[in-house]
């Protein structure tokens, strides 16, 4: 908020928190607004109508007493009695049972929502507002799923491999996860009670969790490579990119084996963007093969199958750079 920096990585300096920051002021000012619901408007209309009728009836009673009873039957009603009758008429018009009836109705509806649809209602007035809604549009990830994603399938060599099966990961699957870990902003922080994940978005955290659950030691992989440069994810390009080089020999603790590499690029993003930039791919056994038109069709079919099932798909690609051009001392400007 209040900055021209829209993407990238940097160090932030906290100058104010809570209600003193700009976001807090916006929340505080928005909380003071009293938005009227259709139900409150209808109740207000009924109250105005009842008030007008009560005043009109009271005026008629006073005029009837003054111009008729007082003249024709002077001893029938005194001014004090007439005033008391007007007050009784006004009291009769007061809808004493209206608040109770509305509250009971809203509570019953809220109870039904909680029992049938697992919806917790914090304000009873929102129950009536939901009754006026015919269509709800919502962003799925981060709104309905709380931005908590889990990796369930890996596609290697055009074949879909479920992670729910109790089996050993192939070399291609391990390399795929390693690429997802290196081009990743999430990190593991060990607290006294449990491990926590900091940084990154839901996809980054899901990849690190997946590698951790499968015993690939993501923290060791991250610490074994220097991060030379990176491009954060942007909705404009639909991918993120990182350039790494080997800091030390990667041990076989992740099952991949010792890998001697110079500088290499890892890209992670939308499959239609990443696959378009690739001419070769790794199969399930770790062999590099060309992406033929037939293989292109196989990848597209796998993407269609997962897309129809409602999965979010992320593609990962790696490229080793020419060491004659990109020397160890080469400085990247991206």
């Amino acid at each position: 908020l209040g900055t021209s920096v829209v993407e990238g990585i940097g160090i932030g300096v906290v100058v104010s928190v809570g209600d003193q920051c700009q976001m807090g002021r916006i929340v505080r000012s928005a909380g003071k607004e009293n938005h009227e619901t259709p139900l409150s408007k209808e109740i207000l209309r009924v109250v105005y109508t009842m008030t007008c009728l009560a005043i009109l009836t009271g005026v008629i009673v006073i005029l009837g007493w003054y111009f008729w009873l007082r003249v024709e039957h002077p001893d029938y009603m005194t001014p004090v009695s007439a005033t008391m009758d007007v007050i009784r008429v006004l009291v009769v018009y007061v809808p004493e049972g209206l608040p109770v009836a509305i509250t009971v109705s809203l509570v019953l509806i809220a109870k039904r929502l909680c029992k049938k649809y697992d919806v917790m209602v914090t304000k009873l007035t929102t129950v009536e507002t939901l009754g006026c809604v015919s269509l709800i549009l919502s962003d799925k990830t981060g709104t309905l799923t709380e931005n908590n994603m889990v990796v369930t399938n890996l596609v290697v060599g055009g074949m879909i491999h479920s992670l729910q099966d109790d089996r050993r990961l192939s070399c291609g699957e391990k390399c795929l996860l390693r690429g997802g870990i290196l081009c990743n902003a999430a990190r593991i922080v060990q607290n006294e009670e449990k491990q926590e994940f900091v940084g990154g978005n839901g996809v980054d955290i899901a990849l690190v969790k997946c590698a951790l659950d499968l015993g690939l030691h993501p923290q060791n992989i991250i610490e074994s490579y220097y991060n030379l440069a990176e491009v954060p994810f942007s909705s404009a390009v639909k991918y993120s990119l990182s350039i790494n080089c080997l800091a030390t020999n990667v041990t076989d603790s992740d099952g991949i084996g010792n890998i001697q590499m110079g500088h290499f690029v890892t890209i992670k993003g939308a499959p239609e963007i990443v696959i378009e930039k690739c001419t070769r791919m790794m199969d399930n056994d770790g062999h590099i093969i060309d992406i033929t038109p037939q293989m292109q069709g196989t990848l597209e079919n796998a993407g269609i199958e997962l897309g129809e099932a409602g999965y979010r798909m992320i593609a990962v690609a790696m490229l080793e750079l020419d060491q004659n051009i990109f020397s160890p001392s080469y400085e990247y400007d991206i």
Side-chain angles (χ1 to χ4, degrees), residues 77-248:
M77 184 179 294
T78 63
V80 176
S81 299
T83 304
M84 295 297 295
D85 286 344
V86 172
I87 295 175
R88 292 189 186 98
V89 170
L90 296 176
V91 171
V92 168
Y93 275 96
V94 175
E96 297 178 354
L98 182 62
V100 177
I102 293 175
T103 303
V104 172
S105 301
L106 295 179
V107 168
L108 292 177
I109 297 174
K111 183 179 178 181
R112 183 183 303 174
L113 287 173
C114 181
K115 184 177 180 180
K116 189 175 182 179
Y117 301 104
D118 293 331
V119 176
M120 184 179 67
V121 179
T122 57
K123 292 184 179 180
L124 290 180
T125 54
T126 58
V127 175
E128 186 272 337
T129 305
L130 286 174
C132 302
V133 176
S134 59
L135 180 64
I136 298 178
L137 301 178
S138 176
D139 175 25
K140 180 178 73 68
T141 303
T143 303
L144 302 181
T145 62
E146 299 180 355
N147 206 24
N148 185 13
M149 289 177 281
V150 179
V151 179
T152 58
N153 298 282
L154 297 177
V155 180
V156 182
M159 302 298 294
I160 301 176
H161 304 276
S162 176
L163 294 180
Q164 297 178 355
D165 301 333
D166 188 11
R167 58 181 177 80
R168 293 177 59 87
L169 293 179
S170 65
C171 182
E173 292 172 326
K174 293 177 181 178
C175 289
L176 175 62
L177 288 174
R178 187 188 63 186
I181 294 171
L182 292 177
C183 187
N184 200 306
R187 295 294 181 266
I188 303 175
V189 176
Q190 182 67 44
N191 292 333
E192 296 180 357
E193 298 180 356
K194 61 179 181 179
Q195 289 181 334
E196 293 185 356
F197 300 89
V198 296
N201 52 27
V203 175
D204 293 339
I205 295 176
L207 289 171
V208 175
K209 281 184 178 180
C210 176
L212 187 64
D213 294 338
L214 296 175
L216 293 186
H217 307 287
Q219 194 64 28
N220 293 341
I221 297 177
I222 295 173
E223 293 175 354
S224 299
Y225 291 87
Y226 291 127
N227 190 348
L228 304 177
E230 60 184 339
V231 176
F233 178 82
S234 171
S235 58
V237 296
K238 296 183 180 180
Y239 67 83
S240 59
L241 180 147
S242 68
I243 301 177
N244 304 84
C245 70
L246 194 66
T248 57

Side-chain angles (χ1 to χ4, degrees), residues 266-280:
T266 305
I267 182 174
K268 171 172 64 69
E272 63 273 14
I273 302 297
V274 176
I275 295 177
E276 187 183 40
K277 301 178 182 297
C278 299
T279 57
R280 296 182 300 169

